[in-house]
Amino acid sequence: MLNSLLLIAAEKGVISGRVIEEVGGLSIPSAIISVYVDGTEQPLITSSTDEDGRFSIKNLKPGNYHIKISFVGYAPLIVNGIILTEKDYDKNLGSLKLSSDQNSLQEVTITVQKPPIEFGADGVTYNVGSSLLAEGSTATDVLKNVPLVQVDIDGNATIAGKRNTRIFIDGKPSDYMTSNISDLLNVLPSDAIDKIEVLTNPPSKYSGDGEGIINIVMKKGFKVGFNGNVGVSGGLQGNGNTNANASYRGKSYSVNGSAAYRYNIGKGNSHNYRENFFPDTTFYYDQYGGFKNNNTGGNFRLGFDWTISPKQSLRLSTNYNNNNSTSNSTNDLHYLSEELIEKRLRNQLNTGNGKSNNFVFNIDYDLQTDTSGGKLSLSATVNNNHNLDFRDYSTTYAQPSTSAPSLQQNNNDTGNDGITLNLDYEKPVFKKRDRIEMGLAYNYRKNDNDLLIENFNFNTQQFITNVKLSNQFLYNENIAAGYASYNYRNVGWGVKTGVRAELTDVAFDLSNGESYHVKPYLSLFPNLSLNRFFRKRYSVGATYNIRINRPRENTLNPQVNNVDTLNISYGNPNLSPAYTHQMEINFGVFGQKWSFNPRLSYSTSQGVIERYRTVTLIPGTSSARSESTFDNVGTNNSLALILVGNYRPTNKISANSNVSIIQSNYKSKLNSSLNRDGLSFRAAIGLSMQLPLKTAFESNLNYANNTNAQGRNKGSMTSNFSARKVFFGNRLNFRVTINDVFGNRSNTFYNEGQNFRLENFSTNNTQNFTFSLNYRFTKITVNKIPPPPVKAQ
């Protein structure tokens, strides 16, 4: 009995206060309060403020604490130096003021661990610094562990249930920065990333492209003094990377930058089995392949922030990325008759060299127009990237040996240039309970894809240009946009509504003289979000928006890819844009040690752009050729149930999981074989533990199985296990990570048409042990709050 009373007395600590706005002093309901025990990396308790902005965290043991307060649109506030004792167990912090992001340069912030996952009506935020798996890795590695995000075997990231996802960096589209997004993400250092926002209902200020947006927010380095870290990692597969980032902030300016270099060896194999059905014959292709790639790349970022005056700020930032690759692959194709007797055997050896680089320059200017929170923002982005891909294909026939060999060289020279201009204005209307936003945007893109194909003449011993397949594709795109939105919140309610209008003008030419000019079209994108927070622990919301999937150069370009002459692919210059209506209902419930967020979404799309395959007999032969292209295949209705949860039984253990179940229904006017229903499934689970002796452990398991218009894509289970030990006052840490301990990452793809069935199996060398060493020289400045005033007796 006495022990029970002592235990109750030991856990009677209380931390309370009220969160208000710095300008106006109005309460902020639904602000996130995270309580940390000093020296730990996971929050002990996560709670929210009530309708009046008040919070009260109870049942705390004596000890040293700090809290983090965060709310969308405001700079985080860190409160340190909170000490609870048996005699002084009730800490009332009084009124805690949050400042808007526009004033964040004028605040001294303290770096502490954030909650790993933050939920909102419009998406999920993943705080990168909360994950051991994020240290010393790349953006691609981090994305594999973000809730709602799926990364395929080629490094392409998508939101679960969304066919068309766009990747943004600091609110700007990354696909304008590089010809291959996965190259950029594979070298972008995770230590330079602050957080990743998964936006299932993007605000009206964002482009209407894509059914969802993954926004990678880079660290800005707003800390006084000189701070940063350097790291190096290597794996048993032969891969390695080094990275460094640093920042310096003076009285009115800050400079921050990062650099990274990586070396990666990729190896894998594939097996492709295709059944070909025709009225007079049936035969089979049994194809085996293997590859090895060596990739090196570097990424360099530099930013400069200047607080010109209390009302003006300027930010300049640049990004340079390069990538070099060499590749070797083999392909053996066995032609089998209807009786499964081998009639022909073709061997192909492919070698390649690739180089790419891109440069981006951003300038952002903010002006506070009045004391009530009005802000005018101007921004401009200029990008240039260049990609050179040279490949050599040598084909011989082991059976029959009399067949003539062939040798082909493909030289693909691609350039992308673009400029984006934005003018945004926002202002509270009624005592900062609401906010109106409006803006204009203009985007210009130019793509120049020059493909030269040469075939070797064994008689003359010369390469001769293949005029039929060589081509230059010139693409020009102009998009002018305007938007207006209104946000309102009061007493637990939140409403966001807006509309965006975009005028698109596209033209492209081919070197053979063909010209295409798409008739300019106007698109409207309404956006609505409604949320309600009640009883201090529940939230419910609903959203609706329209998005667009524009056909661009990768789907429009009719250039033929004949790397495998029996499996060719090309684009379709006659594609139309596809519009998707999206609706979502979300619910959240928060306990002191757990949270649960189910989401139900429905989308319907018209004129869905999908890749589809047809198989036809080659005239004069007994062979069949597969042709893969894009088309507006018809309609797709999708219903998705997404469950996201988090549980913290103690302040040293945290578990999270998410499950996505998507039912898709395709209806095609193009091909009845594309009419199908399908169920996609994705699941992920993670565990994080703080262990004695300044060690920690974290693991993640992922699985995905997706359907598409003409088949199914079944992936294997992927896994990451990581352990870390810190030294020298948390400045130096050593980490070991085991990737895919259950086996190399594999993928099985099933494809079916009216006269063929295809099964493709591929695997990559993702199973690996990685060792990382990271040193932080961050100088932390601590701001302690003054004690609350003594109450009169």
Side-chain angles (χ1 to χ4, degrees):
M1 180 69 177
L2 178 60
N3 291 335
S4 298
L5 292 173
L6 291 174
L7 181 61
I8 294 173
E11 296 184 356
K12 65 179 181 180
V14 179
I15 299 176
S16 59
R18 186 180 182 219
V19 181
I20 63 174
E21 297 170 335
E22 184 180 52
V23 179
L26 296 176
S27 62
I28 301 180
S30 304
I32 303 298
I33 311 296
S34 301
V35 180
Y36 296 80
V37 177
D38 285 354
T40 63
E41 299 190 31
Q42 297 288 344
L44 174 65
I45 295 174
T46 300
S47 185
S48 302
T49 56
D50 62 17
E51 291 85 349
D52 196 36
R54 299 184 186 277
F55 67 92
S56 180
I57 311 297
K58 301 177 181 179
N59 301 324
L60 298 172
K61 296 179 181 180
N64 298 336
Y65 297 86
H66 58 268
I67 69 171
K68 171 184 173 286
I69 306 170
S70 59
F71 190 74
V72 177
Y74 294 83
L77 176 64
I78 310 300
V79 181
N80 293 272
I82 304 173
I83 302 175
L84 300 181
T85 66
E86 292 183 1
K87 295 182 179 180
D88 186 11
Y89 58 84
D90 189 350
K91 288 291 185 181
N92 186 343
L93 305 179
S95 296
L96 304 173
K97 300 178 180 180
L98 295 190
S99 62
S100 61
D101 281 340
Q102 66 186 20
N103 297 321
S104 61
L105 289 175
Q106 302 170 13
E107 300 292 332
V108 178
T109 59
I110 311 304
T111 299
V112 296
Q113 292 296 322
K114 302 175 182 179
I117 304 171
E118 297 181 68
F119 304 98
D122 300 327
V124 174
T125 298
Y126 181 81
N127 294 305
V128 174
S130 301
S131 171
L132 303 184
L133 297 170
E135 295 177 353
S137 56
T138 66
T140 299
D141 299 320
V142 177
L143 284 167
K144 294 175 183 177
N145 302 305
V146 177
L148 309 185
V149 174
Q150 178 182 338
V151 181
D152 67 17
I153 201 167
D154 297 318
N156 300 307
T158 56
I159 299 175
K162 312 290 186 183
R163 291 181 311 280
N164 306 299
T165 301
R166 301 192 72 194
I167 308 295
F168 279 44
I169 296 179
D170 282 336
K172 297 178 172 61
S174 67
D175 47 357
Y176 295 165
M177 304 178 188
T178 176
S179 57
N180 190 341
I181 297 175
S182 61
D183 285 345
L184 174 60
L185 299 180
N186 271 323
V187 74
L188 193 64
S190 61
D191 292 291
I193 301 174
D194 179 32
K195 60 185 178 181
I196 296 177
E197 299 172 332
V198 183
L199 303 175
T200 55
N201 182 33
S204 297
K205 70 182 299 181
Y206 286 109
S207 165
D209 277 299
E211 296 176 11
I213 290 173
I214 299 174
N215 184 33
I216 300 174
V217 181
M218 309 302 295
K219 292 178 181 177
K220 305 300 188 298
F222 297 147
K223 295 181 286 289
V224 172
F226 184 61
N227 313 270
N229 69 273
V230 293
V232 60
S233 69
L236 298 185
Q237 292 277 11
N239 59 300
N241 75 64
T242 60
N243 65 85
N245 67 78
S247 65
Y248 177 81
R249 184 187 169 203
K251 183 177 181 181
S252 61
Y253 70 93
S254 69
V255 180
N256 63 88
S258 68
Y261 174 82
R262 73 176 177 97
Y263 175 77
N264 183 65
I265 298 176
K267 293 183 292 184
N269 55 72
S270 63
H271 179 208
N272 188 311
Y273 188 76
R274 194 174 87 212
E275 302 174 72
N276 306 278
F277 307 105
F278 294 97
D280 299 327
T281 181
T282 298
F283 52 92
Y284 308 89
Y285 287 149
D286 196 13
Q287 186 170 319
Y288 295 86
F291 73 90
K292 181 178 180 180
N293 299 328
N294 293 319
N295 294 276
T296 61
N299 178 266
F300 308 91
R301 302 180 66 87
L302 183 65
F304 174 75
D305 295 84
W306 178 28
T307 305
I308 304 172
S309 70
K311 294 185 177 181
Q312 300 180 81
S313 64
L314 179 69
R315 175 170 175 77
L316 307 175
S317 63
T318 63
N319 176 83
Y320 176 77
N321 189 75
N322 66 30
N323 186 74
N324 297 288
S325 65
T326 60
S327 63
N328 292 278
S329 64
T330 59
N331 193 307
D332 300 325
L333 177 64
H334 302 265
Y335 173 90
L336 308 178
S337 67
E338 188 170 0
E339 295 77 23
L340 298 179
I341 299 174
E342 183 172 270
K343 295 296 185 180
R344 291 199 304 271
L345 172 59
R346 189 193 69 180
N347 308 112
Q348 188 175 60
L349 175 64
N350 310 323
T351 61
N353 290 282
K355 296 181 179 180
S356 66
N357 60 79
N358 67 81
F359 176 78
V360 182
F361 176 77
N362 295 298
I363 180 170
D364 298 275
Y365 171 77
D366 293 335
L367 173 65
Q368 185 177 335
T369 57
D370 53 59
T371 58
S372 64
K375 183 175 73 171
L376 181 70
S377 301
L378 298 170
S379 68
T381 302
V382 177
N383 68 276
N384 170 268
N385 73 73
H386 181 252
N387 183 75
L388 184 62
D389 187 23
F390 179 82
R391 298 192 179 274
D392 186 289
Y393 307 104
S394 176
T395 304
T396 58
Y397 294 86
Q399 183 182 353
S401 58
T402 55
S403 297
S406 66
L407 179 62
Q408 179 174 299
Q409 289 183 349
N410 290 19
N411 192 344
N412 199 358
D413 190 353
T414 305
N416 283 282
D417 298 284
I419 183 170
T420 302
L421 304 174
N422 288 280
L423 171 64
D424 302 290
Y425 178 73
E426 59 181 79
K427 178 180 174 59
V429 181
F430 302 113
K431 298 182 180 180
K432 292 198 71 175
R433 294 286 185 187
D434 62 354
R435 182 171 295 271
I436 187 171
E437 299 178 357
M438 58 185 67
L440 300 172
Y442 171 73
N443 177 258
Y444 168 73
R445 295 183 65 227
K446 177 183 178 181
N447 173 271
D448 185 350
N449 189 323
D450 193 359
L451 176 63
L452 174 63
I453 296 181
E454 297 177 305
N455 297 109
F456 188 72
N457 188 314
F458 288 90
N459 294 326
T460 62
Q461 295 293 297
Q462 292 179 329
F463 278 98
I464 300 177
T465 300
N466 188 323
V467 179
K468 184 178 179 180
L469 297 179
S470 298
N471 187 42
Q472 185 174 17
F473 178 81
L474 299 172
Y475 176 88
N476 288 275
E477 176 185 271
N478 293 272
I479 300 177
Y483 77 92
S485 65
Y486 178 75
N487 303 337
Y488 175 80
R489 58 182 181 82
N490 190 16
V491 195
W493 285 95
V495 179
K496 299 179 182 179
T497 183
V499 63
R500 183 180 182 92
E502 294 182 350
L503 180 65
T504 305
D505 185 17
V506 171
F508 50 96
D509 303 302
L510 306 178
S511 57
N512 61 9
E514 296 182 34
S515 296
Y516 298 82
H517 185 267
V518 179
K519 183 179 179 181
Y521 55 93
L522 179 67
S523 304
L524 296 178
F525 307 103
N527 182 295
L528 176 64
S529 175
L530 177 65
N531 297 284
R532 170 63 171 157
F533 178 80
F534 57 97
R535 295 187 180 180
K536 302 182 181 180
R537 60 181 302 180
Y538 301 104
S539 67
V540 62
T543 64
Y544 168 77
N545 64 74
I546 297 178
R547 307 290 293 176
I548 187 175
N549 179 24
R550 290 183 178 87
R552 287 198 162 93
E553 60 270 20
N554 59 323
T555 56
L556 293 170
N557 189 350
Q559 291 174 341
V560 175
N561 180 347
N562 73 329
V563 172
D564 182 347
T565 55
L566 296 180
N567 294 277
I568 67 174
S569 61
Y570 47 89
N572 180 359
N574 298 308
L575 292 174
S576 301
Y579 294 90
T580 301
H581 295 254
Q582 301 183 139
M583 291 146 278
E584 183 174 276
I585 298 174
N586 59 82
F587 177 76
V589 57
F590 306 90
Q592 287 192 344
K593 296 182 178 181
W594 57 273
S595 64
F596 180 57
N597 292 79
R599 296 167 179 264
L600 184 66
S601 66
Y602 174 78
S603 66
T604 178
S605 303
Q606 303 291 329
V608 175
I609 299 175
E610 288 274 8
R611 179 184 290 276
Y612 80 98
R613 185 188 308 271
T614 58
V615 173
T616 58
L617 280 172
I618 301 175
T621 73
S622 58
S623 299
R625 177 168 52 226
S626 163
E627 298 189 13
S628 175
T629 187
F630 298 88
D631 213 311
N632 299 98
V633 298
T635 64
N636 177 61
N637 298 318
S638 178
L639 179 65
L641 174 64
I642 302 170
L643 308 175
V644 183
N646 180 266
Y647 176 58
R648 297 186 181 90
T650 72
N651 65 324
K652 294 184 178 181
I653 300 176
S654 176
N656 63 81
S657 64
N658 63 89
V659 176
S660 303
I661 304 173
I662 304 106
Q663 173 67 38
S664 298
N665 176 257
Y666 287 89
K667 296 294 182 182
S668 175
K669 300 177 181 179
L670 176 72
N671 188 338
S672 61
S673 67
L674 303 182
N675 294 338
R676 66 176 65 238
D677 295 334
L679 193 67
S680 298
F681 177 81
R682 179 187 185 273
I685 185 171
L687 175 67
S688 178
M689 302 174 61
Q690 295 294 320
L691 303 174
L693 303 176
K694 295 185 177 181
T695 59
F697 169 81
E698 185 170 286
S699 64
N700 285 87
L701 299 175
N702 296 271
Y703 176 79
N705 191 329
N706 302 311
T707 186
N708 59 40
Q710 208 172 1
R712 175 167 295 278
N713 203 339
K714 180 181 178 182
S716 61
M717 178 172 289
T718 63
S719 61
N720 294 278
F721 297 89
S722 183
R724 185 188 66 183
K725 168 71 174 175
V726 297
F727 307 89
F728 305 121
N730 298 333
R731 294 194 302 273
L732 180 69
N733 73 70
F734 172 75
R735 179 175 63 95
V736 58
T737 298
I738 306 174
N739 296 313
D740 294 331
V741 66
F742 303 112
N744 284 326
R745 189 172 186 181
S746 62
N747 188 74
T748 303
F749 176 67
Y750 301 96
N751 200 212
E752 185 176 1
Q754 291 179 328
N755 58 358
F756 73 92
R757 281 197 301 264
L758 169 69
E759 180 177 347
N760 177 272
F761 175 81
S762 60
T763 182
N764 283 2
N765 65 320
T766 54
Q767 189 177 53
N768 196 13
F769 285 79
T770 303
F771 305 90
S772 301
L773 194 65
N774 194 69
Y775 179 75
R776 300 183 185 277
F777 48 91
T778 301
K779 181 180 179 182
I780 298 178
T781 303
V782 178
N783 284 352
K784 291 189 176 182
I785 63 168
V790 179
K791 297 180 180 179
Q793 300 295 324

